[in-house]
Amino acid sequence: MTVGDSRSSALSPPPTGRSGPDHREVHHAESPGGRGHREVHHDESPGGRDHREVHRAGQDIDVPRAPVPLLRVEHVTKRFGGIRAVGDVTFTVGRGESVGLVGPNGAGKTTLFNCICGQLRPDAGQVTLDGTLLDGLPTYKRARLGVGRTYQRAEVFPDMTVGEHLIVAERARHGGPHLWRDLCHRSAPTPAERRRVAEVLELVGIPGWEDRPVSSLGLGSCRLVELARALANEPVLLLADEPSSGLDARETHELAAVLRTLQRERGMALLLVEHDLSMVEAAVDRAIVMDLGVVIATGTFDQVMADPAVRIAYLGMGA
Amino acid sequence: MEHLLGFAIPGIPYGCTYAIVAVGLVLTYQATGVFNFAFGAQAYTSAFVFTKLVQNDGFPVWLAFLAAVVVLAPLLGLAFDRFLFRKIPSTNTTAKLVTGLALFVGVPALLPVLFGNQNLYASPSIVFNPDTVYFRVLGNPINGIDLATVVVTAAVLVALVALMRFTNLGLQMRGAVESRRLVELDGVNAGSVVATAWAVSSLMAGLAGVLLAPVYGQLQAQDYATLLVGAFAAAAWATLRSMPLAALVGILTGVADTVLQGYLPSSSTLSSAVLPSLPFIVLMAALLLVPGLRRLDDATDPLASVDPPPPPTTATSRAPQLSRIIQVAWYVLLGAFVISMLSWMPKTWESVFNSGLAFSTIFLSITLITGMGGQLSLSQATLAGVGAFTAAQLASHLGLDMLAGAVAGAVLAAAVAVVLALASLRLKGLGLALMTVAAALFFDNSIFTQRSITATSSGQALNIRTSWIGLGVLDPNGHALFVVEMLVLVLCVAGVLLVRSGTIGRYLTAMRGSETAAAGIGINLTWQRILIFALSGTVAGIGGTMLALQQQTVDALQFNYQLSLAFVVIVVTTGVSTVEGAIQAGIGFAVIEQLLSYLPARFGGNSLAFVLFAAGALTYAAHPEGILEFQKRRWTLRFEHLLFPGHDPNLAFATPNGTPTTADGSDPSILSSPGRVREPRSPTGSQQRGTAPSVLSDALAGAGLAGRHGNGPSTHAGRRDSEPSIRDESTQPAETDAASTNVHPQRSDDDRR
Ligand SMILES: Nc1ncnc2c1ncn2[C@@H]1O[C@H](COP(=O)(O)OP(=O)(O)OP(=O)(O)O)[C@@H](O)[C@H]1O
Ligand SMILES: [Mg+2]
């Protein structure tokens, strides 16, 4: 409602020119979280948007382009009993940057996501979003700071319609007391909210699905609903955990395009876990490869795929 | 030291009674994955049959023992397994809990129905003579009962630990709890393993029942129930895992009890308030402190994803015409009811319906916490009691009007509920159920026994006096009480419906669907949970005062923990997720009790009502929406088929359960064709109808599950047509593609948790 205006400008219809897998020109220095990439592929000035995001995260920094990267993961370690699921992982994600996080099964990608969004407490290390230390903040507060998330096993609310998912997400982000409004029968979705829902649904490619109950949807559609719900929350950083599982090749391709669009149009940073490497290739600026809980390579997609350590990790799995 | 031991020794046999039951609970949980709320009922059944055979039918003790313990007890367990628990997926904690509760309430009520009301005293002992003092320890006489308890507990413990640790069967049992299917992949017949586990643990329940029977003078189901909850504490400290630890904590509880009894001055409040609640305080402490208990329900079947997803709820598949007819019919019925109550209704029945209205209000609190909040709370009667006692005491001491007192009572009940919510923040499912039942028992034994709470300052019973209310509410010739009860119920219903259809209702629906995702979008789970507890406590407190007004007295027995359990069982039968479910439960409970009072006492009177509702609740696993709700929908659909052949409810669902549908979304207009997707409920639907009365009518017309209000497809289609989508070329293919995944029959199981 309140943020609606500033955002609807960012919500112009997706560009007709497909942002296919043609962005390999974005190449990334070894310095993780380097700032070079913005200039390369952002034609519009990100200044205003940055300002909004900074404000959103509750910061009072007046510098239009903060020198800090958006997400900083430093020395994060998580153990489950004897298993070290994530061991001393450090990387950064820049504002508006799209980063792929790949690695064989059990590499610790989902665990790392859980540590970032607060579902798990890391045993060591810290996570910073936009200069705010996230350690100790509960999941819901991190969500309100702008960490959006989709889940490896699609987590939708089975008793709701698609539209309700989005409205709940939008309201939850603002928090605030609702009991009195409810009792006064003033909790109806406002026209602005409904417009926003329609916009987000259109953005992810399911326009007009507001009234469909998710219990009638297939797994692939549920993933899109999850994505739309995360977007309704206006994340500055989206953590997408294997969004393509359950989708076929063409849908995967479309999803990559949607993610690209979001990143470009909204300046949303993306951290993408994905086993479908063609999708990763299409959707990210930079890739981080994990195996057995540690980062084994970072760089552009082509660079990491050429890395011998990555080949060993994957072939070791695949063989 | 000598002194201390002198107090401690008698505590050991007493603690053994807890120990043997706790070990039985751990065994059942370990071997079947069920926390057996029916354990006490099974023990009571064997004890009842055993005593009856010996005393009334002249059986020799050994033969009666054979019949009641060796034959009957395992048969009972096998029946529970075969007909109830086997059908519940191991991951469905709520269904297992509700089934256990239904047995807890239903089985002891069934015995008087089958055998008539019998008072059985002084059950015979199976080993040792109860009256002989065999020896003395530090001057404490050890009689036959004490000796038998200790010896049998020790023998049973050793035998069971050996069984679970060292035999192949024990290994298979533990495996079968994890996943029956996984064990079966190894070529083990998991069904028979679990059945054996039930037989063994039920044998144990029977043994414990018969063994402990002589301890109690008169054989009563309550004693076994209370003993059972006391044993929960020991089982909880052992994280439902270690039998020796459970036994140890059980014995220590007993010892602590006698030692405290010895040291505390007998007249102090501490001894009168704390001692009777000791096991429940120990249980609450375990739930607060033992971290393993928080993860009890996290156990998941590794093969659960093989299960087909549960069928969609038939919530709002009704044809709009039929909805309208039913809605009108409900209005007519409501009008007729009100007019009848105000005119020709005989006084007896007016009073029955008044109590039905009060019960309905209390049951609404269960709709809030269980139906909407998704939490099984077993202390709703206690909260009602807090409300009633507060209102009555304020009236008695300060001369405050009872109705104003009801507000104060509601606030206090809400406060108690909030404390309960805070204490159980990290618990769910079984843990929460145990915490609330412990709290209820704590109130029963420590709070509602204090004369300063249950009696007037002059020590008389808290009978509601006319002077406390005014309005002529207690005038036997007037109808003011009915009007008050009706108004209060209507207000509560309206409040519940508004919350349900509002933002909080949606948050709760989200949380029931996936707590992970709900937190992930910024919902403060803790706050929502505290809020729903508070709301539920408020409504329960109001309902309690209403019940007190109708019964014209406030008595701890009206609000004891067994009623809390029974309330849940009753509401589960009629439908826990709808407001109409609560109303039907309240009215139905009062009416059925009254009707049964016309039957000969031989049929057990009130017991039969509990048996009926318990039988209904046993179907919870198959029909979580409530068996009554289920039948209603079934018949609605049948009628619909006859009246409106055009409306095919089966097509009303784009299918999650395997059959591919044609609702592939490739043509969005298909959405507006009736019968392709479930009758659309626009998120705005509920709000479009403005006022509370119309919201009420929705509920009365059975508008269905949480937060959903049917809106004719026509409006929906109209809106869609009038708003041509402004899609861009580039997203068009994405839309059709994504939509076509709709055909995928499989969907993630996790969605459904
Ligand atoms: N809750 C848990 N308890 C114990 N071990 C866990 C838990 N969650 C994850 N693990 C272990 O941590 C390791 C990393 O798991 P994680 O799910 O993070 O991997 P992943 O990279 O997401 O794999 P996948 O590609 O299969 O999703 C695995 O060895 C896994 O077994
Ligand atoms: Mg993963």
Side-chain angles (χ1 to χ4, degrees), chain A residues 154-155 159 202 205 215 250-251, chain B residues 514 678 726 735 737 741 751:
Chain A
E155 300 269 357
D159 291 337
E202 183 161 335
S215 54
R250 198 159 59 115
E251 292 155 357
Chain B
S514 162
R678 184 143 48 155
I726 32 161
E735 183 257 328
D737 283 347
T741 57
D751 306 353

Side-chain angles (χ1 to χ4, degrees), chain A residues 253-306:
Chain A
H253 183 69
E254 302 294 344
L255 185 63
V258 169
L259 291 177
R260 256 301 182 204
T261 311
L262 282 166
Q263 183 214 349
R264 295 218 166 134
E265 297 284 316
R266 291 192 171 187
M268 178 189 80
L270 172 70
L271 191 55
L272 173 71
V273 165
E274 189 49 69
H275 282 302
D276 183 336
L277 292 180
S278 68
M279 177 177 182
V280 178
E281 188 177 17
V284 306
D285 303 328
R286 189 159 65 89
I288 297 170
V289 186
M290 282 180 75
D291 188 25
L292 298 174
V294 295
V295 175
I296 57 170
T298 57
T300 65
F301 183 78
D302 289 341
Q303 280 169 351
V304 299
M305 283 304 131

Side-chain angles (χ1 to χ4, degrees), chain B residues 529-549:
Chain B
R529 188 161 159 162
I530 292 172
L531 187 63
I532 196 69
F533 265 85
L535 289 176
S536 172
T538 308
V539 173
I542 296 176
T545 313
M546 291 301 120
L547 190 65
L549 277 184

Side-chain angles (χ1 to χ4, degrees), chain B residues 693-710:
Chain B
S694 71
V695 179
L696 174 62
S697 75
D698 273 3
L700 292 176
L705 295 166
R708 299 179 158 186
H709 299 270

Side-chain angles (χ1 to χ4, degrees), chain A residues 105-106 108-111 152 241-242 273 275:
Chain A
N105 291 105
K109 307 176 297 284
T110 302
T111 307
Q152 182 165 0
D241 200 344
E242 301 194 21
V273 165
H275 282 302

Side-chain angles (χ1 to χ4, degrees), chain A residues 196-258:
Chain A
R196 296 238 313 101
V197 167
E199 280 167 359
V200 173
L201 288 183
E202 183 161 335
L203 196 66
V204 300
I206 48 175
W209 279 31
E210 283 92 340
D211 296 332
R212 289 197 180 193
V214 292
S215 54
S216 72
L217 301 178
L219 176 58
S221 314
C222 285
R223 292 210 167 274
L224 294 178
V225 173
E226 255 199 315
L227 180 64
R229 181 182 63 197
L231 295 178
N233 230 332
E234 287 217 15
V236 288
L237 169 70
L238 178 68
L239 309 175
D241 200 344
E242 301 194 21
S244 83
S245 68
L247 305 184
D248 67 24
R250 198 159 59 115
E251 292 155 357
T252 305
H253 183 69
E254 302 294 344
L255 185 63
V258 169

Side-chain angles (χ1 to χ4, degrees), chain B residues 640-691:
Chain B
E640 204 164 79
H641 206 65
L642 289 177
L643 296 174
F644 314 105
H647 179 89
D648 188 344
N650 291 328
L651 272 184
F653 303 98
T655 173
N657 55 358
T659 9
T661 52
T662 45
D664 55 18
S666 51
D667 170 14
S669 69
I670 206 160
L671 272 176
S672 51
S673 73
R676 283 298 165 140
V677 285
R678 184 143 48 155
E679 184 178 85
R681 293 170 304 263
S682 92
T684 64
S686 52
Q687 279 74 16
Q688 280 160 1
R689 33 194 96 199
T691 55

